[in-house]
Amino acid sequence: MTAADPDFLLFRDGLTRHLDWFAARGHSVPFWWRDDDAIEPTPALDRLLAIANRHGIEVALAVIPRDVQPALAERLSGETRASVLLHGYCHQNFQDKARGEKAAELGSRRDPDAAIAELREGAARLSALFAERFQPVLVPPWNRIAPQIARRLPEVGVRALSTFTVFHPRAFAQVQTHIDMIKWKKDRRFIGWRSAALRFDFQLARRRTNPDEPIGILSHHLAQTDASFDFLDRVFEILGEHPGARFARIGELIPPLPALTLPPGQPAVKPSVQTAEKRQGHVRRPG
């Protein structure tokens, strides 16, 4: 694929027209980037991080706690454009495929107590390995989570949930992804520039009434082809150069820890995530 590829040029021109509309009105749409299934350093991860550094965008790596290797923490130690999110615990399907149920680790067939215990263990492991790089955001494997588990996420110390597409009706902060460039049922191929243009059209048309709602780009570095890496490179180049777009870090998009009111004379102590969430009981949904 060359820079003069007609489908890419149509995509570029359409995306630029959308961004021009926002810039003319003094808006810049926030874009963020999530990549799923990291557990260890690989050449594909190196390629991903190179894209993040080249364009100045943070990649939020959804890491599988059970399988993560300490070498991943070592690889990320010098990176300034990478954060870590909680990607379930084991990325194992507990649903019944014979009954036509869609895959989920945190679905309706899980015992909520067992699931919450595993998530708590996973969050503790990622926090120990990655320290401040770890952000208290849950990414459910396969982007699915049962309500009886979702409502208990504050027990884990999680402050936000990230799945795919539009918000779900839960009283919990959500930072969604919206654009996946992989055609999963077609040999994991790139969806193509024309399909990508339609997805951006839809999301940016929605932002005309809510320009502050972030748009999430979703990638899977272990599954995608060269064409999908090329998509990331080109899209981030367009976005990074246009005043109608800006790159956001995941830490900017999740609710802050609640402020504490202390008696006069009592020194302030920074609360742990678990303590703050138990005190609050829930977090607000983005307005």
Side-chain angles (χ1 to χ4, degrees), residues 33 35-52 54 59 61 72 75-76 219-226 228-229 232:
W33 178 18
D35 183 272
D36 290 359
D37 303 340
I39 58 171
E40 62 186 350
T42 63
L45 179 64
D46 290 340
R47 191 172 181 182
L48 200 78
L49 294 170
I51 291 173
R54 183 156 53 247
V59 56
L61 298 170
L72 180 60
R75 172 63 184 85
L76 297 180
S219 63
H220 290 74
H221 67 278
L222 294 174
Q224 61 197 42
T225 62
D226 288 346
S228 292
F229 280 104
L232 293 170

Side-chain angles (χ1 to χ4, degrees), residues 32-220:
W32 77 289
W33 178 18
R34 194 187 94 202
D35 183 272
D36 290 359
D37 303 340
I39 58 171
E40 62 186 350
T42 63
L45 179 64
D46 290 340
R47 191 172 181 182
L48 200 78
L49 294 170
I51 291 173
N53 290 321
R54 183 156 53 247
H55 299 291
I57 180 173
E58 179 189 76
V59 56
L61 298 170
V63 174
I64 304 170
R66 186 192 65 181
D67 301 329
V68 64
Q69 301 300 308
L72 180 60
E74 297 171 10
R75 172 63 184 85
L76 297 180
S77 61
E79 295 291 339
T80 61
R81 299 286 178 180
S83 59
V84 168
L85 313 181
L86 176 65
H87 198 22
Y89 175 74
C90 59
H91 210 299
Q92 177 181 340
N93 178 31
F94 288 85
Q95 299 301 107
D96 190 345
K97 297 186 79 171
R99 293 172 179 258
E101 296 174 356
K102 292 185 177 181
E105 177 185 328
L106 303 173
S108 59
R109 293 190 177 275
R110 288 304 307 277
D111 171 55
D113 290 338
I116 291 297
E118 286 185 349
L119 291 175
R120 189 180 292 116
E121 178 184 341
R125 183 165 195 222
L126 295 186
S127 181
L129 273 176
F130 298 100
E132 292 184 357
R133 193 179 299 277
F134 173 59
Q135 296 290 326
V137 178
L138 172 66
V139 178
W142 294 282
N143 293 295
R144 301 184 183 104
I145 184 169
Q148 60 267 32
I149 298 175
R151 68 172 63 101
R152 293 180 57 183
L153 291 179
E155 299 176 31
V156 180
V158 165
R159 301 214 304 274
L161 183 67
S162 179
T163 60
F164 187 69
T165 67
V166 298
F167 292 124
H168 299 283
R170 301 191 181 99
F172 201 75
Q174 296 176 59
V175 186
Q176 298 297 81
T177 54
H178 306 89
I179 297 169
D180 184 348
M181 80 291 297
I182 298 177
K183 189 177 291 187
W184 288 95
K185 295 184 179 179
K186 296 289 184 180
D187 301 322
R188 300 181 176 182
R189 299 198 306 261
F190 171 50
I191 58 174
W193 289 109
R194 288 180 179 267
S195 292
L198 292 173
R199 298 182 188 195
F200 273 90
D201 279 343
F202 175 71
Q203 294 300 331
L204 287 165
R206 290 185 63 243
R207 296 316 183 282
R208 292 198 177 197
T209 59
N210 186 15
D212 294 327
E213 181 186 343
I215 294 178
I217 308 296
L218 176 60
S219 63
H220 290 74

